[in-house]
């Protein structure tokens, strides 16, 4: 009998496995998921959700209302037990840009995020959540920035903090506008100055994300992902408050 080692259960191995599963899933289901034979859009939005019925409609509508329209929304439902599935299927029936996938069992938050990226084939990618939302110009501004500079790995906006009813309770901007040429300097800045983490919910260059170990199952893996991403490319923070983070 093969004795499994600690390395067999490492976060990197797990995320790599989930990513490969996602790629296989996308290859096998691409015809079924596609609404037409047209090329993949410039942007893929991967919306990860588990029991998100309360705010899911608002989140999806904020994505569909973007002024930039060359995108597809991949929704991965992590075996929800509430009305999430019905909400997603209703929107998918209304708009051909939405592709709905439901996991048979819950594969964990990181696993669901990584699965979504594995299913994407577009030049740019962003994760989205079921309880946060964005202003309508967010994608247009980010695409313009990334198209202008291939050295950029990420473009993300400043953030509003909102309560359960959408009322603003604070604003957030940080010091991670990282245009330094030295990757070590960028990495050190992230490690020293990162606080609130929603940078991975900005728009990223897919080819650069593929060089990372993705999100792990351990605590604060989102911080680790952002730090690793900074080693592969520069960060641009748009001077607009376009992300609304539910607190």
């Amino acid at each position: 009998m093969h004795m499994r080692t600690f390395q067999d259960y490492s976060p990197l191995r797990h995320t790599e496995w989930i990513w490969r599963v996602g790629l296989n899933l996308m290859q096998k289901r691409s015809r079924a998921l596609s609404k037409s034979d047209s090329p993949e859009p410039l942007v893929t939005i991967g919306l990860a959700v588990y029991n998100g019925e309360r705010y899911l409609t608002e989140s999806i509508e904020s994505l569909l209302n973007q002024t930039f329209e060359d995108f597809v929304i991949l929704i991965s439902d992590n075996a929800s037990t509430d009305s999430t599935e019905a909400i997603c299927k209703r929107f998918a029936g209304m708009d051909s840009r939405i592709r709905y996938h439901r996991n048979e069992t819950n594969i964990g938050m990181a696993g669901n995020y990584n699965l979504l990226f594995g299913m994407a084939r577009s030049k740019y990618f962003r994760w989205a959540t079921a309880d946060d939302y964005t202003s309508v110009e967010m994608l247009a501004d980010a695409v313009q920035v990334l198209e202008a500079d291939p050295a950029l790995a990420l473009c993300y906006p400043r953030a509003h903090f909102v309560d359960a009813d959408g009322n603003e309770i604070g604003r957030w901007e940080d010091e991670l506008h990282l245009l330094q040429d030295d990757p070590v300097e960028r990495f050190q800045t992230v490690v020293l100055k990162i606080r609130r983490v929603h940078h991975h919910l900005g728009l990223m260059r897919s080819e650069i994300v593929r060089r990372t170990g993705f999100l792990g199952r351990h605590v604060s893996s989102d911080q680790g992902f952002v730090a690793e991403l900074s080693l592969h490319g520069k960060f641009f923070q748009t001077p607009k408050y376009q992300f609304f983070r539910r607190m």
Side-chain angles (χ1 to χ4, degrees):
M1 185 170 84
H2 173 62
M3 182 65 71
R4 295 190 175 184
T5 65
F6 171 79
Q7 284 76 14
D8 291 318
Y9 297 97
S10 69
L12 179 56
R13 283 177 179 267
H14 176 82
T15 51
E16 180 181 3
W17 177 79
I18 288 292
W19 179 62
R20 293 185 184 279
V21 168
L23 286 178
N24 287 333
L25 180 64
M26 188 61 185
Q27 290 169 355
K28 291 178 181 178
R29 300 188 58 190
S30 59
R31 289 185 179 274
L33 290 172
S34 297
K35 304 297 183 179
S36 69
D37 293 327
S38 59
E40 278 295 300
L42 191 63
V43 173
T44 293
I45 301 170
L47 197 163
V49 57
Y50 173 70
N51 286 352
E53 63 180 7
R54 182 174 183 182
Y55 301 115
L56 182 57
T57 294
E58 182 179 16
S59 176
I60 294 176
E61 287 178 344
S62 80
L63 300 176
L64 292 176
N65 290 333
Q66 293 293 303
T67 58
F68 178 87
E69 298 181 341
D70 188 19
F71 65 84
V72 63
I73 301 173
L74 303 179
I75 302 178
S76 184
D77 178 357
N78 213 1
S80 295
T81 58
D82 63 359
S83 62
T84 289
E85 181 176 10
I87 295 171
C88 292
K89 286 184 175 179
R90 175 169 60 86
F91 275 103
M94 294 166 49
D95 197 306
S96 62
R97 293 173 295 177
I98 297 180
R99 305 172 186 177
Y100 174 71
H101 164 77
R102 178 179 172 86
N103 298 323
E104 293 183 3
T105 59
N106 192 307
I107 60 174
M109 184 175 65
N112 205 29
Y113 272 61
N114 294 334
L115 177 62
L116 279 165
F117 180 75
M119 296 169 68
R121 295 181 294 168
S122 58
K123 183 176 181 180
Y124 302 118
F125 178 86
R126 76 166 292 243
W127 280 302
T129 70
D131 49 2
D132 302 320
Y133 56 100
T134 60
S135 66
V136 296
E137 304 91 0
M138 186 267 187
L139 273 186
D141 289 346
V143 168
Q144 183 178 14
V145 169
L146 290 176
E147 287 282 89
D149 187 353
L152 291 171
L154 165 70
C155 179
Y156 73 100
R158 295 175 178 175
H160 295 275
F161 292 153
V162 297
D163 63 15
D165 298 317
N167 301 309
E168 183 179 324
I169 56 177
R171 293 191 175 193
W172 181 259
E173 58 182 276
D174 54 32
E175 300 177 53
L176 298 186
H177 184 69
L178 307 178
L179 300 182
Q180 305 94 320
D181 291 326
D182 184 358
V184 174
E185 186 178 348
R186 296 195 302 265
F187 179 83
Q188 289 175 333
T189 303
V190 173
V191 171
L192 293 174
K193 296 187 176 182
I194 194 168
R195 295 293 182 270
R196 302 280 187 175
V197 186
H198 43 252
H199 310 78
H200 58 300
L201 302 177
L203 190 64
M204 300 175 288
R205 196 176 301 275
S206 297
E207 64 175 335
I208 296 183
V209 176
R210 293 189 185 98
R211 302 175 196 169
T212 72
F214 310 105
L215 292 169
R217 302 176 69 184
H218 53 284
V219 175
S220 300
S221 67
D222 50 358
Q223 291 189 8
F225 170 78
V226 172
E228 184 179 7
L229 191 68
S230 72
L231 289 170
H232 299 288
K234 301 176 180 180
F235 292 4
F236 190 101
Q237 183 190 65
T238 55
K240 299 179 182 180
Y241 292 89
Q242 296 176 320
F243 181 65
F244 295 81
R245 179 173 174 173
R246 197 88 58 176
M247 302 302 290

